Amino acid sequence: MKEIWEKAQEIIRERVGEHFYELWFHPVELVQVKDGQVLLDIPNRFFKEWIEDNYPGLVAEVLKPAAQDGEELKVKYRISEKQDPAAKKMDTLLETRKTRLASRGVYLNPKYIFKNLVVGQSNQFAHAAAIAVSENPGRAYNPLFVYGGTGLGKTHLISAIGNEVVDRFRNFHVFYVTSEQFTNEVVHAVRHGKTEELKAKYRNLDLILIDDVQFIENKTATQEELFHTLNTLYEAQKQIVISSDRPPREIRNVTDRLRSRFNMGLIADVQPPELETKIAIIQKKAEVERIPMPQEVIEFLARKIKSNIRDLEGCLIRLAAHSSLTGAPIDRDMAREILKDIISEDDKPLTVEAVAKAVAEHYGIKLSDMRARKRTKDIAIPRQVAMYLARELTGASLSEIGKIVGGKDHATVIYACKQITEKRNSDENFGRMIEGLLNRLKP
Ligand code: ADP
Ligand code: MG
């Protein structure tokens, strides 16, 4: 048993990186694998929360070798600390909802309900549309197409429609699917000659929730199947809800008729939350998870975390885990110390190094590759982006900038800035991405 877990931990370490491994996976112990079930010992409930939110399926996957003939493993957690009664009650409520959903064949996150969703200026419109749709599925806006950046609450919002409809309409067939899952199903059906079954499954729904539809770019067979599915559902006045990280017009390589299907109902965007909304979201989350959070820490987080709501929640859980491990109450100093890798202090000017690091992370490449004198194509653009952003955001000189990204001279930096400026203006998606990076890095 010990060996299996050690091997699994090695894989996890590689997958999630040293930092998260030490924080979240190292303290976890494997108790047993039995009857298709994995039992893990964890120090407190925040570990379960964090692991499930950030790496769902990972533990089951790395323990697959321990399963009997490739069966799907279920992961259960055993919490070593004494659980407070309120937390227990909450868990029971969630379990009840989970069971109800499962009995109707709906796989939705039971936590993603309207009650847990904070409404602010940034998501007001999308929220109102979602409420209307859940009260009157098939009759209000069809399809409802929600788009916005990552971690801004799209999955939560469309799942809330699903959860609400399950509660309100006892006989409704509700189905949540990511476009990746849908693609896999189409591929599988085609390969095994089961397209009729697939059609029967999807065309008998009362509500379909399709998450992250942008992944169907370039996939012709999937687009074809999706188009016919949506058409059939639409004509039968069944509700369609779609999410995407960009509006329909920016989804590339999608057939015209599918795009126009996306465009036929209501399109609602979700924007990054304003400060007040961020504060309200942290308060809500702290309340739901019963994490004692002083107001000053709430405001500190809301001000410091620029990127998205998922990161905001991640910080909260990290603080809660630390606090319950050490027994120390959460305060500003703890927040500053524990979150120092995410939070940038105002008085520290942004360095070229930090910019390069953020760009490397964004593109999923190594900082060292960006700095090496190599000339590979997949490094060229990130490198230019880094030079451009460093020029925009830091006071560094051209030669300082050039030095950090692989010893380029100042002419190369100027050229890079020109290239990126042009690309920013001519390519909308690219422009949006640069905008996002700028916002994230801006002090
Ligand atoms: P997306 O699908 O847009 O990437 P998610 O729906 O997964 O984002 O949201 C990320 C996390 O932030 C989830 O845990 C979600 O519950 C939370 N969240 C997002 N928006 C809100 C909000 N308005 N109020 C409360 N929690 C939110
Ligand atoms: Mg999502």
Side-chain angles (χ1 to χ4, degrees):
M1 190 63 62
K2 200 160 163 248
E3 258 172 40
I4 298 175
W5 185 231
E6 275 170 9
K7 275 218 184 79
Q9 281 184 310
E10 270 316 303
I11 305 174
I12 294 175
R13 188 203 293 265
E14 272 168 31
R15 191 79 66 82
V16 308
E18 191 60 35
H19 182 71
F20 285 149
Y21 172 77
E22 280 301 323
L23 262 166
W24 298 107
F25 290 97
H26 186 65
V28 176
E29 274 168 41
L30 178 66
V31 186
Q32 61 175 28
V33 184
K34 208 175 135 196
D35 303 330
Q37 188 167 302
V38 181
L39 185 64
L40 299 174
D41 259 348
I42 50 173
N44 60 53
R45 63 198 161 91
F46 300 113
F47 281 75
K48 169 174 184 238
E49 168 109 352
W50 193 91
I51 292 171
E52 285 190 341
D53 279 357
N54 291 279
Y55 290 97
L58 178 61
V59 174
E61 187 194 324
V62 297
L63 284 174
K64 207 137 200 190
Q68 275 170 351
D69 15 279
E71 67 186 334
E72 202 66 40
L73 288 171
K74 260 211 182 99
V75 181
K76 285 258 172 206
Y77 297 88
R78 194 170 72 183
I79 300 166
S80 340
E81 69 167 1
K82 263 213 315 270
Q83 224 187 351
D84 69 280
K88 251 207 166 108
K89 188 165 163 235
M90 181 77 188
D91 278 354
T92 321
L93 278 176
L94 278 177
E95 284 305 320
T96 316
R97 173 167 279 283
K98 224 190 230 165
T99 316
R100 167 159 4 121
L101 289 169
S103 74
R104 291 178 55 179
V106 189
Y107 294 94
L108 279 176
N109 187 330
K111 274 193 210 167
Y112 289 171
I113 52 179
F114 282 121
K115 209 178 108 219
N116 295 343
L117 190 80
V118 173
V119 185
Q121 220 181 338
S122 48
N123 63 355
Q124 207 168 38
F125 181 61
H127 174 261
I131 293 278
V133 161
S134 65
E135 286 172 353
N136 251 323
R139 328 248 148 193
Y141 309 108
N142 207 12
L144 171 62
F145 191 105
V146 180
Y147 77 90
T150 164
L152 298 184
K154 301 181 298 297
T155 298
H156 189 142
L157 188 74
I158 71 167
S159 304
I161 299 177
N163 275 311
E164 183 72 23
V165 166
V166 166
D167 288 350
R168 273 173 187 265
F169 304 91
R170 305 224 158 253
N171 303 319
F172 268 39
H173 291 299
V174 174
F175 200 72
Y176 167 93
V177 69
T178 65
S179 72
E180 278 169 310
Q181 278 166 321
F182 185 77
T183 305
N184 290 341
E185 285 189 47
V186 171
V187 171
H188 186 87
V190 169
R191 188 173 301 153
H192 299 277
K194 296 204 163 144
T195 44
E196 287 312 311
E197 278 98 326
L198 186 80
K199 285 187 175 54
K201 170 176 165 191
Y202 277 97
R203 298 185 191 178
N204 283 324
L205 300 172
D206 297 289
L207 165 63
I208 188 168
L209 307 158
I210 305 173
D211 208 358
D212 287 322
V213 84
Q214 71 274 2
F215 291 116
I216 56 155
E217 281 185 337
N218 292 319
K219 299 185 181 123
T220 330
T222 306
Q223 290 183 17
E224 196 56 23
E225 189 55 42
L226 184 60
F227 173 77
H228 289 294
T229 302
L230 297 186
N231 237 9
T232 309
L233 292 175
Y234 180 82
E235 271 160 21
Q237 291 199 323
K238 305 301 188 185
Q239 181 68 44
I240 301 159
V241 178
I242 301 171
S243 89
S244 164
D245 69 353
R246 62 201 87 152
R249 74 186 131 80
E250 285 177 25
I251 304 179
R252 314 213 146 191
N253 299 316
V254 54
T255 58
D256 286 342
R257 56 181 190 171
L258 185 56
R259 195 195 311 276
S260 64
R261 200 22 101 212
F262 291 163
N263 273 316
M264 276 177 77
L266 182 75
I267 299 182
D269 66 333
V270 187
Q271 292 293 328
E274 326 69 57
L275 183 65
E276 294 72 29
T277 313
K278 279 198 273 185
I279 291 177
I281 288 173
I282 305 175
Q283 273 164 344
K284 178 110 219 166
K285 180 84 179 167
E287 184 195 309
V288 170
E289 304 286 347
R290 286 167 327 286
I291 303 168
M293 284 281 282
Q295 190 60 25
E296 62 155 15
V297 180
I298 294 179
E299 290 193 13
F300 174 75
L301 290 180
R303 275 178 210 288
K304 294 289 181 179
I305 310 291
K306 305 250 156 59
S307 35
N308 66 48
I309 301 168
R310 189 174 295 126
D311 290 352
L312 209 56
E313 290 191 346
C315 290
L316 203 68
I317 297 300
R318 225 158 116 181
L319 284 177
H322 183 80
S323 155
S324 70
L325 276 181
T326 58
I330 298 173
D331 62 19
R332 217 169 139 130
D333 285 341
M334 180 196 283
R336 197 170 267 137
E337 178 57 28
I338 299 298
L339 307 173
K340 64 174 178 244
D341 57 323
I342 316 178
I343 286 176
S344 58
E345 290 298 331
D346 292 341
D347 39 355
K348 253 195 288 165
L350 189 64
T351 60
V352 180
E353 172 106 29
V355 173
K357 197 169 157 222
V359 174
E361 244 166 48
H362 176 83
Y363 281 98
I365 57 178
K366 290 206 210 88
L367 185 58
S368 55
D369 284 344
M370 192 137 91
R371 283 168 159 174
R373 285 168 180 266
K374 271 193 294 199
R375 273 179 186 258
T376 39
K377 211 167 135 243
D378 46 339
I379 307 285
I381 294 275
R383 208 182 248 154
Q384 286 192 329
V385 169
M387 289 190 254
Y388 173 83
L389 291 175
R391 188 85 208 278
E392 293 280 311
L393 295 169
T394 73
S397 69
L398 291 171
S399 63
E400 277 172 310
I401 295 173
K403 210 157 52 192
I404 301 278
V405 294
K408 305 287 178 198
D409 59 18
H410 78 279
T412 312
V413 181
I414 293 175
Y415 178 73
C417 294
K418 200 166 143 256
Q419 290 289 99
I420 298 298
T421 310
E422 273 168 22
K423 198 166 159 62
R424 220 186 139 176
N425 292 329
S426 62
D427 177 342
E428 214 173 320
N429 278 332
F430 185 80
R432 209 182 236 273
M433 183 212 71
I434 294 288
E435 200 78 11
L437 278 169
L438 276 171
N439 281 337
R440 220 174 89 201
L441 287 165
K442 243 183 237 163

